[in-house]
Structures are given as C-alpha cells and as structure tokens.
Amino acid sequence: MSRATVSRVVNGVRNVAPGIQEAVREAIARTGYAPNQAARSLVTRRTGAVALVLSATGGSFTARLFSDPFFGRVVDGVLPVLRERAVQPVLLVSESEPARLQLVDYLRRGGADGALVVPLDEDDPLPGMLVAAGLPTVLFGRPRPGVRCGWVDLDNAAGARLAAEHLWAAGRRRPAVVAAPESAPAARERLDGFTAALAARGAVAVPVERGRYTEESGRDAMARLWARDPGIDAVFAANDLMARGACRFLAERGVAVPEAVAVVGFDDSTAARDAAPPLTTVRQPVEEMASAMARLLLARLDAGTPRTGSRLFEPVLVVRESA
Amino acid sequence: MSRATVSRVVNGVRNVAPGIQEAVREAIARTGYAPNQAARSLVTRRTGAVALVLSATGGSFTARLFSDPFFGRVVDGVLPVLRERAVQPVLLVSESEPARLQLVDYLRRGGADGALVVPLDEDDPLPGMLVAAGLPTVLFGRPRPGVRCGWVDLDNAAGARLAAEHLWAAGRRRPAVVAAPESAPAARERLDGFTAALAARGAVAVPVERGRYTEESGRDAMARLWARDPGIDAVFAANDLMARGACRFLAERGVAVPEAVAVVGFDDSTAARDAAPPLTTVRQPVEEMASAMARLLLARLDAGTPRTGSRLFEPVLVVRESA
DNA sequence: GACACATGGGAGAGCGCTCTCCGAAACCTT
DNA sequence: AAGGTTTCGGAGAGCGCTCTCCCATGTGTC
C-alpha cells in the first residue's frame, strides 16, 4: 500500500474504500504511528498551532501574570474555541527585550499559524513587529496607529458614559476623574467619554488628575484632586486599582464612601470585588472578548485573506457599594 | 552563491570566508529572510522548542493556574535557563481529557523537543503518556511507579523531620498530623518522616487524619483529630492550605495558636504568609527546582541518551508565628 | 457488448532546508 | 618548483510528508 493512500486516510480526503481505511487505521493504532509535523508543515504551510502571546515591556512580570486573574479569563475564553477546531493553543510569554526578539523569530520561522496577542502596556512594540513579519495577528485592545491587524476591544467611551450617567442619576453634580496616562487610546476614550456625557447634561469642567494604573498612583491622584477641590462628590477612575487608591485616600481623610464621595472603577477585576467597600465598576466581558479574538483569527486563517476583522464589545455597569 | 553556503553562515559552522559571511548576513538583514523551521526540523529532527506543560485532571483549572503564584515561580525558574540556550519555551495547558489527548498528539508529532511537566494531581496519566510516546520528559515531583523519566523533587521526609524537631524542641509532646491522601508518594513521605522523627525521640503513636489538600478538608480533619483527643498540643499539616483549615477550626473553638496548639504547614506558599497567624512552614525552593528541571532536560537533549537525571532538593523550615 | 464515466489507488514530484561528499584554489613544506 | 595539505564553496541527496497527475478498475447507458 502506498504512502499516498495512508495520507488520504489520515487527512480524510478523497474516496478510499472502507476496507482499506479500516486496515490503515488499525495499522496506525497498532504501530503507534504519528505523522511528522515538520514534514507535513513543509508542504501544507500550516503548523496546526496558534500562539497566545502575553506580552509586557516592563521587567519581571510572571508574578503579575500568574496572580492577575485577568489572564486566566483570557485563556479560558481562547482555549475552547481553538480546541474545537483541533488547533493547538500555545502560550508564549514575552517579558523582556531578548524574549521578545526570540519570540518574533520563533513565529517568523513558522512556530505557529497566527498570534493572539494580549499586550499589557500601550507602548509594546510586539504587535507591530508581528504584523510587519506578516503573521496573522489579533490583538486584545486596539493596535497603535499604523499597525494594521485585527482586534477586539471594549467600547470604553460607552463604559465611561455608563459611569457618568449612574453618578448623575444619583445626584452627583461635582464629579472628578482619576485618568490613566494620555498615551493610551483606551484611557483617552474613558476620559473623553466621561466628560462628554456630563457636558451633555450641563456639568461644568470636570477636574482631572492622572495615575499610572497602580493603587498607589490612584491614591496620589486623588490627593491632588482633593487639594484642588474638597467639594468633589464623585470620582471616576480609569481602572479598579486606581479606584481603590482613591478610596484609600478618602478613608485616610475620614471621608465616607459612597455617602460623601461616590467612587466608580473600571474593569470589574477581582480587585473591585475585594475592595472595601466593594467597587461599583464598569465590566468588560473578557472571556467573550477572548473567544471572539480566537474566532477572528481562525476566520482569517480559513479565508486566507490578508485582512482580519475586528469587534467592539459593550460594557456593563456593575453596581456594588462604592457608588 | 549556493544554498549550502548560506546554510553554513546561518548555522555558524565550517569555514566560510569573512567577506562572504558579511555579504550573506547583509542580504539576510536586507530581505528579512527567516529560515523555514519546518524544513529545518525535517532534517535536524529538532524544533528548538521545549514544552512546559501545566497539567491537571480535575475540571476548569485555569482559574487555579492564574491565581496560584506557584506556577509563576515555576515559569520564572524555567524561562531564563531556556532563553540562555535560545530554546523557545512553550506553555501548554492540559486541563481536560480531550485537551490531554490533543496535547500528547501535538508533542508526539514533534511539536517540541521535550517536555517539562508540572502535574497538579498525583493520578495524572499525562507523564506516563508522554514517556510512552518516547518524548524526553522531566517532572516536577517524582513520577508514578512504572513511569521512567527524569524528575526534581523535594526531600519530603527531611522536611517533615524539620517540622517534627521544631515542635519537639518547643516542648510539644502530643502532636497530630493532618495528612494528604495515601496515594501520593510525597504525602506518604511527609507523614512517615514526621512520625519516624518523633518515634526516634520516644513519642508515642501520633494521631493522623487525612484531608484532600484544600482548606476545608484541613478544617474537617482537624475537627476529627480534636474529637479523638483534645489534648493535642501541635499539628503538622501536609500543605499550607490544610494548615490554614486547621487554624480556622482551632480559632472557631477558641483554642489559641500557637500558645495552646502549634501549627506547622508545608510548601511556604503565599497562603502561608497571608494566614492568620502567619504559618510556620517547610519551604520548597520552587524556582531552583524549576531551573534544575530545565537543565536536566537540556542535558538529556544534548547527550541524546535515553536516560534523564533527577535531583532531590533540601527543604528549609520557615519559622513564623503559628509554631 | 462497446462506449463513456465515475472511482480507487499508485507513482513521483516537490516543499526548504542541512550536510556529506568532492573538486578547486590557496597555502606550506622540502 | 613539485608535491602535499588545508581551506573554501558547490552539487546533490534526502528528511517525511502532501497532492497532482494518471492508469486500472468498476459501474451505468444505449
């Protein structure tokens, strides 16, 4: 029996007589034969694997990676979609400059058919490098300008609007914002969406201070806001950790949350649930976004077209005790 | 210029005139050429990648995976060793039966040159499957009987002895044990090591109850011990979570820790540090063990021999407040 | 019963590398 | 200067698959 016939049976194509099929399968099972992926890839130009890249530009981040439940949610969303299509999910971490270069090299050489990238930092060069290498890529979060690839993202402006409307409806008329660094598009949308929604309701200029996503920086930003205007009755923070920082400052000053000042966070991370008081926050459907990301990539691989689709998700306001 | 010359330059072998080398490198840089890994693997029978497999037999464990800092420590230990050798680390998760089969298939086809496996459950069939498939494998923890592969492990008996000696030196003469399921070799060693060390000092029979590694099961085991003998003045638990459970039971009964009953855990996980009171516990050097695991695998791949070495690590007692 | 037509399965090219040969050229040595 | 020795680089086989031909059968039609 020729190799061609075996190949046909293994790949389930063309018409092979049932008897022969049976014999081939039996032989495969008996000998424990496994086709050589390298040889197969050489001709099919497919590896059957897709990379899920967790990338950061800052130093040692495996501690962050394996303690922030966010990544677990991403993985949970991605795995079932790939498994169903018999595509092997491969996790890669890019935590330093040499790691990034090695990783790009690995993928350029054909380590995987495509990449799902979760960048932690806005200035991460990795997505641009992968796209430049011609690798089908889908990002969690919109790419930097000039990088053309698929993405999934949250409608940050809509989320900010939800927060604004909630605070307004609760009678808060002197809100402030603890924003994130200006460079981040998502951060800009959250800020602009919030101020625009309030302006539409006739609110005057909203005081803004910026943090760097950490709890400590949120605390400091809140301190600056308070110094500028102790009449503030609500705070919208660009993420949950900074919202916690704001709460901590207010607690230190003996300001009651939410009675005197209402606080709304963003993300609905576990940090929001575990905060004191539990944070009212804007939720992103991470698992759904992650599985959509996987589906977008698979669709592109199937189609073979150079363009990848994108999808914007709607946020939901989760009301707890802080506002 | 022939392909052979280019190949020689890329792989840095044999004598190629410096001028030619320069020209080749320049051309590679200019055209952005990346060698096809599949073609290369086909002839070298190497992929240049090593799998780090995180495996569990129970259901959804990505939540556990991305919240237990243990895995982050393992990854931190493995990555630098592989990077230094320009081997691409590839994380694979095996969280269900179909995932396991797909993963074994992927590796059997040549997805990676070897596997570093971190099994969470003692009855995990994955290591045996990989070894049977002929894949160079190194385990975190000793393999089940009959599975011949390399491993790194902690000298559990020595750790248990440290705990026993610490409690004895503190004047505790009526200790009890919250042990793990009998099936686990590590668990058996911890129990036997503890009782043997005490017997050597003339202690009478030590009461033992078993838990299933969780805090809740530790609490229940402690309750059974207490029902058997409320005169117990010390407890040695086979892991930190069960030690916490024991503390919780004692707190519920108003029994002071460590004044009335001293508690010693095992692992020195963050659960130990965050416990109330902070746990005295036996520490495993996870990062070191993980990098040793990577080195053992690389050594085997270099040597090409079918046998892989193993290494046993010495535990250290970390004294905090619970004993 | 002769033809067209569908169907099963073999032969063989070729995917893009590596690496062993081997010939050509440069360099010593006596 | 003639031979031996080393150095450099080309030719070409072959890694283990897939997939396109193409021929040998089997099936249907008038």
Side-chain angles (χ1 to χ4, degrees):
Chain A
M1 180 177 316
S2 79
R3 306 186 313 254
T5 306
V6 176
S7 179
R8 276 193 281 269
V9 172
V10 171
N11 295 298
V13 283
R14 274 279 294 280
N15 320 303
V16 177
I20 300 265
Q21 276 196 41
E22 194 58 36
V24 172
R25 284 189 211 291
E26 189 276 330
I28 287 176
R30 185 163 38 76
T31 60
Y33 166 81
N36 180 316
Q37 185 59 46
R40 174 180 275 181
S41 294
L42 192 55
V43 41
T44 60
R45 345 222 87 217
R46 280 296 182 82
T47 65
V50 157
L52 174 55
V53 185
L54 306 175
S55 178
T57 54
S60 147
F61 92 116
T62 49
R64 218 192 329 169
L65 180 60
F66 286 95
S67 60
D68 190 335
F70 172 77
F71 300 101
R73 293 177 67 191
V74 172
V75 172
D76 273 337
V78 167
L79 292 194
V81 176
L82 296 182
R83 295 246 198 264
E84 193 192 347
R85 292 282 304 274
V87 171
Q88 179 64 39
V90 155
L91 264 71
L92 303 175
V93 293
S94 159
E95 83 288 6
S96 63
E97 171 79 7
R100 180 161 55 243
L101 294 174
Q102 195 189 336
L103 188 152
V104 170
D105 220 52
Y106 179 71
L107 293 177
R108 271 171 34 99
R109 289 159 120 94
D113 298 329
L116 302 168
V117 183
V118 186
L120 275 72
D121 303 297
E122 298 286 337
D123 57 345
D124 196 327
L126 185 70
M129 293 165 79
L130 294 177
V131 171
L135 195 79
T137 303
V138 180
L139 287 188
F140 196 101
R142 258 160 290 187
R144 303 164 73 180
V147 176
R148 293 184 58 80
C149 65
W151 49 264
V152 297
D153 204 354
L154 189 74
D155 187 341
N156 289 290
R161 211 176 304 126
L162 289 176
E165 287 163 5
H166 179 71
L167 292 173
W168 191 266
R172 309 290 173 164
R173 293 294 178 271
R174 302 183 63 182
V177 179
V178 174
E182 233 171 328
S183 64
R188 201 164 29 244
E189 285 177 32
R190 290 178 191 181
L191 173 56
D192 294 351
F194 188 78
T195 52
L198 286 178
R201 277 167 182 71
V204 288
V206 176
V208 176
E209 289 289 342
R210 295 187 186 276
R212 292 177 324 278
Y213 293 115
T214 66
E215 182 163 340
E216 193 58 30
S217 70
R219 191 201 155 281
D220 297 345
M222 186 68 229
R224 290 195 300 275
L225 285 172
W226 201 250
R228 280 169 62 174
D229 180 4
I232 289 166
D233 63 359
V235 176
F236 170 57
N239 80 339
D240 289 332
L241 286 178
M242 293 197 294
R244 281 173 68 138
C247 288
R248 215 174 74 211
F249 172 82
L250 294 170
E252 287 167 9
R253 291 300 170 99
V255 180
V257 175
E259 293 76 9
V261 177
V263 177
V264 176
F266 210 107
D267 284 349
D268 194 26
S269 61
T270 51
R273 184 174 287 108
D274 298 343
L279 291 177
T280 290
T281 186
V282 179
R283 176 167 221 276
Q284 355 190 17
V286 178
E287 289 87 349
E288 274 179 68
M289 292 168 74
S291 57
M293 191 166 57
R295 270 189 290 267
L296 285 171
L297 183 62
L298 290 177
R300 156 140 183 210
L301 293 178
D302 288 344
T305 49
R307 274 191 53 73
T308 315
S310 301
R311 212 176 129 189
L312 197 60
F313 283 76
E314 289 306 317
V316 173
L317 187 74
V318 179
V319 179
R320 295 205 181 85
E321 296 171 28
S322 71
Chain B
M1 180 179 313
S2 79
R3 306 186 312 255
T5 306
V6 176
S7 178
R8 275 194 281 268
V9 173
V10 171
N11 296 299
V13 283
R14 274 278 293 280
N15 319 304
V16 177
I20 300 264
Q21 274 195 43
E22 193 58 35
V24 170
R25 283 189 212 291
E26 190 276 330
I28 287 176
R30 186 163 38 76
T31 60
Y33 167 80
N36 180 316
Q37 184 59 47
R40 173 179 276 181
S41 294
L42 191 54
V43 41
T44 60
R45 343 220 90 217
R46 280 295 181 83
T47 65
V50 156
L52 173 56
V53 185
L54 306 175
S55 177
T57 53
S60 148
F61 92 116
T62 50
R64 221 195 322 171
L65 180 58
F66 286 95
S67 59
D68 190 335
F70 171 77
F71 299 101
R73 294 177 67 190
V74 172
V75 172
D76 273 337
V78 168
L79 291 194
V81 176
L82 296 183
R83 295 245 200 266
E84 194 193 345
R85 291 282 303 274
V87 170
Q88 179 65 40
V90 155
L91 263 71
L92 302 175
V93 293
S94 158
E95 84 288 4
S96 63
E97 172 78 8
R100 181 162 52 244
L101 294 174
Q102 195 189 335
L103 188 153
V104 170
D105 220 52
Y106 178 73
L107 292 177
R108 271 171 35 98
R109 290 159 119 95
D113 298 329
L116 302 168
V117 183
V118 186
L120 276 73
D121 303 297
E122 297 287 339
D123 57 346
D124 195 328
L126 185 70
M129 292 164 80
L130 293 177
V131 172
L135 195 78
T137 302
V138 179
L139 287 188
F140 196 102
R142 257 159 290 188
R144 302 164 72 181
V147 176
R148 292 185 59 80
C149 64
W151 49 264
V152 297
D153 203 355
L154 189 75
D155 187 340
N156 289 289
R161 211 175 304 127
L162 289 175
E165 286 164 4
H166 179 72
L167 291 173
W168 191 266
R172 308 290 173 164
R173 293 292 178 274
R174 301 183 64 183
V177 179
V178 175
E182 231 170 332
S183 64
R188 200 165 28 247
E189 284 177 32
R190 291 178 190 180
L191 173 56
D192 293 351
F194 188 78
T195 52
L198 286 178
R201 278 165 181 70
V204 289
V206 176
V208 176
E209 288 290 340
R210 294 187 187 275
R212 293 177 321 280
Y213 293 114
T214 65
E215 182 164 342
E216 192 58 31
S217 70
R219 191 203 155 280
D220 296 346
M222 184 69 230
R224 291 195 299 275
L225 285 172
W226 201 249
R228 281 169 61 174
D229 179 3
I232 288 166
D233 62 1
V235 176
F236 171 57
N239 78 340
D240 289 333
L241 286 178
M242 292 196 295
R244 281 174 69 138
C247 288
R248 215 175 75 212
F249 172 83
L250 293 170
E252 287 166 12
R253 291 298 170 99
V255 179
V257 175
E259 293 77 7
V261 176
V263 177
V264 177
F266 211 106
D267 284 349
D268 193 26
S269 61
T270 52
R273 183 175 287 106
D274 298 343
L279 290 177
T280 290
T281 185
V282 179
R283 178 169 220 275
Q284 356 190 16
V286 179
E287 290 87 349
E288 274 179 69
M289 292 168 74
S291 58
M293 190 165 56
R295 271 190 289 268
L296 285 171
L297 183 61
L298 290 177
R300 157 141 183 210
L301 293 178
D302 288 344
T305 48
R307 274 191 53 73
T308 315
S310 300
R311 211 175 129 190
L312 196 59
F313 283 76
E314 287 307 316
V316 173
L317 187 73
V318 178
V319 179
R320 295 206 182 84
E321 298 171 26
S322 71

